[in-house]
Amino acid sequence: MDAIRKLESRTVVLPATDIDTDQIIPARFLTTTSREGLGGNLFYDWRFDADGNENPDFVLNQAESAGCTVLVAGRNFGCGSSREHAPWALLDYGLRAVISTEIADIFRSNSLKNGFLPIVVDEATHAWLLDNPGVRVSVDVEKSTVTLPGGASVSFPIDDFARYCLLEGIDQLGFLQKHEDAIQKFEEERPWKP
Amino acid sequence: MSSSTAKTLFEKVWSDHLVQDETPETPAVLYIDLHLIHEVTTPQAFTLLRQKNLAVRRPDLTLGTMDHSTPTTPVHSFKDLAVVGESAAKQVVAMQDNCAEFGLELLGFESDQRGIVHVIGPELGATQPGKTIVCGDSHTSTHGAFGALAFGIGTTEVGHVLATQCLLQRKPKTLSINVSGGLQPGVTAKDVILAIIGQIGVDGGTGHCIEYRGAAIESMDMEARMTVCNMSIEAGARAGMIAPDEITLAYLEGKPRVPQGSAWSVAAERWLSLRSDQGASYDKTVDIDGSKLQPMVTFGTNPGMVISVADPVPDADGNASFQKALDYMQVVPGKPLSESPVDVVFVGSCTNSRISDLQQAADILRGRKVADGVRMLVVPGSQQIKKEAEALGLDKIFSASGAEWRESGCSMCLGMNGDTVPKGQLSVSTSNRNFEGRQGIGARTVLASPMTAAASAIEGRVADPRPYLRD
Ligand code: SF4
């Protein structure tokens, strides 16, 4: 995972609530055995019509969305399945963060392991972002803040360990492996064995 | 016991598995007792192991099957996989190769024990009370019905468990959902969980582990309890649990992978001690009167958009996401769903594909016909359930009524294996997700119980099962 400290981008807004992982990447694209190249299938059934033509009404297909890395989405983004293909597809497409008032548990955990930022802000900030698509925001991972145009900053909650891993680009498997002795001890000493 | 030392079921299982407790700076290291794996969410994890030159730490605690992208028509050789398409076939072959290379047990095609991963775990007795169970699949919550702490993980975490048998986790909060009273005839576990999600919302359980309690839960058999815990994730919770009791023990006793002989009694005693202590406290509590519940159906594009089968579809009241869902579903506020003609009925999935589910659907279909123009697909959750159903003659009832009887698998629950609902068609499905396109591009899904699904097949529209109940 690449380290991520700061992001600056205009926002793309998807106001729908409860955007589930089947929308982020439909199941029929999960037959891959690799984690690369999923960006082309991101939001596939919203981006394309039945014949594979771009849907001009979908925000990601509009010129002003080009190059944006921050998504603003309705409440409960990423609900549904545990497919890590969802953050893989978002990242491969070029997005780096989502801002919402609530982000589903497994999606959030998967995102953090891949350097995709799940950012939860208060209702008022969120409502303002939904109403003002395309504004330039900057995200500071170290300070855990989103800065809005005009300079006002709001902070977002992030687990200390997850933040440390993001800032350093740390692979959590390596961290787990350092516990090998404790794991072995646990296995030997536990009163019952699975 | 004083309330400060009283522990919940969740807290007991959680603390039993701490290799290292969490601190403000670092998450807990949680030991995993059973790691279930399937073909869709594992290939990238095995690639990682290969890149890092790592072995699977505990092959004996890892169990694989193939379910998501496998065909439900009979498979005799890998050539038959062509029916599901080239990349799905490649993924299934990769699963076989990965399990062989890393020395993992795989209940593959040739196994008469294969099936949906959340169906076979309990069926084999690999799922046991007090265990921590994970799988790269959000419906791992199903196993919580046994008093296990069971939750879905992503593929990176699959790699972590394969390599270390542990996960880095923050302790979730606890949510007690207390369902009192007895259920009316025609109201099932599926209706209970749909009603719960309707009440607390699709994010009502986010950040929490649910414990289902109360008379309505305690009187359920294990298959019904699995249906309830299965859809915890649809309420936003990664895990849902039910305290082990005599019903749990009766289900597990004699299953192939549970402790046998004197070890059984020791395990059974430990399992019964897991129930939440008197006075244990939860971060949040929800009460539901089970005796008031009706057969439930969803009308929108998430499982929280739920009404009782006779009720009218609610108005969007200016809510754009809600309106978008109504438009997608082509349903009209103020009218009940019984006005919606049904094209497809699907009985299956890890929510409702066990023998009692099939029996409930068959009881309603016996001697009756699936309406003209309706395609009904019945997909047992495992090959063992298929065999059991055939021994009971259920396959004959389904076939005689005009339904298709298949091999086991996830099938039309997510449409990865070629079993899909055509664009625009309305499907009444016993699965767990009514998301846009879940059952096929443009498919419209109504979630319901097996009884409601069967009644809807007969009437060719969304139907109340109660007129079809037999004494
Ligand atoms: S039946 Fe459906 S929900 Fe269950 S594991 Fe298979 S795809 Fe997932």
Side-chain angles (χ1 to χ4, degrees), chain B residues 67-68 116-118 137 139 349-350 410 413-414 432 438:
Chain B
D67 50 6
H68 282 64
I116 304 174
V117 63
H118 311 309
D137 195 288
H139 290 100
S349 88
C350 56
C410 294
C413 173
L414 91 167
N432 43 47
R438 169 80 175 181

Side-chain angles (χ1 to χ4, degrees), chain A residues 80-82 106, chain B residues 118 135-141 152 230 233 238 433:
Chain A
S81 90
S82 62
I106 306 181
Chain B
H118 311 309
C135 174
D137 195 288
S138 58
H139 290 100
T140 308
S141 60
N230 175 271
I233 184 69
R238 285 177 83 165
R433 286 186 175 144

Side-chain angles (χ1 to χ4, degrees), chain A residues 31 84 102 105 159 171 187, chain B residues 31 52 87 156 170 203 207:
Chain A
T31 54
E84 201 160 320
E102 185 162 38
D105 286 340
D159 181 72
D171 169 9
E187 283 176 327
Chain B
Y31 195 82
K52 298 194 177 247
S87 63
T156 298
R170 286 282 175 193
D203 52 0

Side-chain angles (χ1 to χ4, degrees), chain A residues 16-18 20 22-23 27-28 30-35 46 75-76 80-85 88 102 105-106 109-110 113 159-161 171-173 175-177 179-180 182-184 186-187 190 192 194, chain B residues 16-17 19-20 24-25 27 31 33 40 43-44 52 54 57-58 87-88 91 136-138 152-157 160 164 166 170 202-203 206-207 236 238 270 302 321 324 414 416 433 435-436 438 441:
Chain A
T17 56
D18 307 310
D20 58 78
D22 276 88
Q23 308 318 312
R28 61 185 187 281
L30 306 188
T31 54
T32 175
T33 51
S34 129
R35 60 172 83 199
W46 290 355
R75 197 192 70 243
N76 198 26
S81 90
S82 62
R83 63 189 70 162
E84 201 160 320
H85 309 69
W88 293 338
E102 185 162 38
D105 286 340
I106 306 181
S109 153
N110 286 339
K113 291 191 176 60
D159 181 72
D160 283 350
F161 180 71
D171 169 9
Q172 299 189 9
L173 177 56
F175 178 82
L176 256 178
Q177 285 174 310
H179 293 77
E180 174 55 31
I183 298 169
Q184 219 165 331
F186 176 88
E187 283 176 327
R190 66 189 305 196
W192 58 276
Chain B
D16 268 355
H17 290 85
V19 172
Q20 191 165 296
E25 292 79 35
Y31 195 82
D33 293 326
V40 179
Q44 298 86 350
K52 298 194 177 247
L54 294 169
R57 192 173 196 284
R58 292 294 301 264
S87 63
Q91 195 173 58
D137 195 288
S138 58
I153 56 177
T155 299
T156 298
E157 290 177 315
H160 293 179
T164 68
C166 289
R170 286 282 175 193
V202 287
D203 52 0
T206 303
R238 285 177 83 165
R270 181 168 57 83
N302 75 55
S321 292
K324 181 168 171 276
L414 91 167
M416 272 188 82
R433 286 186 175 144
F435 298 151
E436 281 182 34
R438 169 80 175 181
I441 305 166

